[in-house]
């Protein structure tokens, strides 16, 4: 059957002037909703002298005060359990989730309504459909299904699109591999590191996933490795499948960017539902295409928790939509273009605790990005893997081995387990 390439053909190809009109309308509505219903936002808007009716052009977004994770945390501390950011009575919630609480960070508690969940899965539909998932697909979720939001939205998106969903929660890696093969799964959703682990485990079991599985798409989310070209290359080779990157934040509840099936070396921003500003972190002034800056996100969905001008501290670079051949008019964001090669090294400290060291090399000419990049990578990784510690080390260019075929980017130096 011939399907459209787009989940929402109209909005995904909207001329940018019309897109900006739509964004302005949605921005004003979200600010009105937040001002009327969220004490957190009302307080901040009043302090900044901002009123939603001041939004006459998209550029007026700069009148809106930023919100930070620290402010959100303070509000949770002052008004347990959910703070005063929530814009409606908690009785209207149907689900509770947590951001991961690694590196001593207190997790943020979030609530969502039925309508919010509809929106959360809709965002995933854009991304999954855009990478080529169709009703004929069988999608395997190598995911724990806990309070961490992870792939929950993707699960519902696949149901919405009519694909067959296999929820692979609470199982050993071995049994997941067996199910992927037995059920002829065509798509696997996983963090990139776990997708590599599945492949490595399969090899130990004498299974070549590229030959013996039916998987032709691996959807990565939840950690940065999926946007590092070398990791993606290895995943594609290991699985004999196309590997697509998506990314979001628990603070948003869903994904905000996705890689389309044309794989332009970056991810499209879902611009009819988000505004992603890229700002010079020192001056807070917007930077142009191709320049590195801090990602500041505004979401038009999730009525329970209005996220408006949220400072992510992520360093990213925007490039125009024309960089991609798919026809979407949505701009593209690049996160880890500066990383040239990497190796994941797992070792055991004092014979007790597992540690993970990521050795990486920066592309020549991108050295200036290293200090920010190193910090962001450590933060993203610890957010993605609860309870694990990551050490990031930069190697001189050319230090790490290059592999022609079977890359050994995952080195497990732990002693064999003895029980
Ligand atoms: Zn594209």
């Amino acid at each position: 059957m011939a399907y459209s390439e787009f989940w929402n053909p109209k909005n995904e190809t909207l001329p940018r002037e019309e897109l900006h009109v739509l964004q302005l309308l949605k921005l004003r509505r979200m600010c009105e909703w937040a001002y009327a219903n969220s004490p957190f936002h009302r307080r901040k808007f009043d302090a900044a002298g901002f009123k939603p009716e001041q939004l006459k052009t998209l550029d007026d977004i700069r009148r809106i005060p930023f919100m930070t994770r620290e402010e959100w945390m303070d509000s949770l501390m002052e008004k347990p359990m959910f703070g005063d950011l929530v814009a409606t009575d908690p009785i209207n919630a149907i689900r509770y989730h947590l951001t991961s609480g690694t590196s001593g960070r207190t997790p943020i508690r979030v609530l969502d309504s039925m309508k919010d969940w509809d929106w959360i899965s809709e965002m995933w539909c854009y991304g999954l459909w855009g990478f080529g998932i169709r009703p004929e697909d069988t999608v395997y979720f190598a995911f724990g299904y806990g309070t961490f939001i992870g792939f929950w939205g993707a699960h519902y998106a696949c149901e919405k699109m009519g694909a067959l969903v296999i929820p692979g929660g609470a199982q050993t890696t071995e049994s997941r591999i067996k199910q992927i093969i037995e059920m002829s799964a065509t798509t696997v959703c996983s963090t990139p590191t776990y997708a590599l682990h599945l492949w490595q485990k399969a090899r130990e079991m004498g299974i070549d996933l590229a030959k013996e599985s039916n998987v032709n798409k691996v959807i990565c989310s939840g950690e940065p490795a999926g946007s590092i070209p070398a990791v993606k290359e290895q995943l594609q080779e290991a699985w004999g499948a196309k590997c697509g990157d998506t990314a979001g934040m628990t603070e948003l509840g869903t994904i905000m960017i996705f890689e389309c099936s044309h794989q332009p070396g970056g991810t499209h921003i879902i611009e009819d539902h988000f505004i992603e500003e890229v700002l010079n972190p020192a001056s807070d002034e917007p930077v142009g295409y191709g320049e590195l800056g801090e990602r500041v996100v505004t979401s038009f969905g999730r009525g329970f928790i209005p996220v408006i001008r949220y400072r992510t501290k992520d360093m990213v670079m925007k490039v125009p939509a024309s960089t991609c051949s798919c026809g979407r008019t949505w701009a593209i964001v690049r996160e880890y273009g500066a990383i040239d090669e990497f190796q994941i090294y797992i070792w055991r400290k004092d014979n007790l605790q597992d540690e993970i060291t990521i050795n990486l090399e920066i592309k020549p000419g991108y050295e200036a990005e290293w200090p920010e990049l190193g910090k962001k990578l450590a933060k993203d990784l610890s957010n993605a893997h609860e309870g694990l510690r990551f050490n990031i080390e930069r190697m001189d260019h050319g230090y790490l081995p290059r592999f022609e075929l079977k890359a050994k980017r995952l080195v497990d130096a732990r002693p064999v387990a003895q029980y």
Side-chain angles (χ1 to χ4, degrees), residues 260 262 264 268 324 326 328:
C260 73
H262 293 241
H268 288 282
C324 186
C326 69
R328 282 180 184 80

Side-chain angles (χ1 to χ4, degrees), residues 1 3 7 121-122 124-126 128-129 132-141 153-166 186-187 217:
M1 188 173 161
Y3 296 106
W7 174 249
S121 61
E122 181 74 5
W124 273 101
C125 284
Y126 278 111
L128 297 176
W129 190 274
I133 293 178
R134 296 293 179 266
E136 291 77 12
D137 276 301
T138 298
V139 186
Y140 193 89
F141 285 87
H155 172 114
Y156 296 127
C158 286
E159 291 185 353
K160 199 165 167 175
M161 297 181 329
L164 178 64
V165 169
I166 306 179
T186 58
T187 306
K217 293 177 285 300

Side-chain angles (χ1 to χ4, degrees), residues 5-6 258-264 268 321 324-328 330 332:
E5 184 168 348
F6 311 110
F258 67 90
E259 181 174 4
C260 73
S261 59
H262 293 241
Q263 298 189 294
H268 288 282
C324 186
S325 54
C326 69
R328 282 180 184 80
W330 295 348
I332 292 172

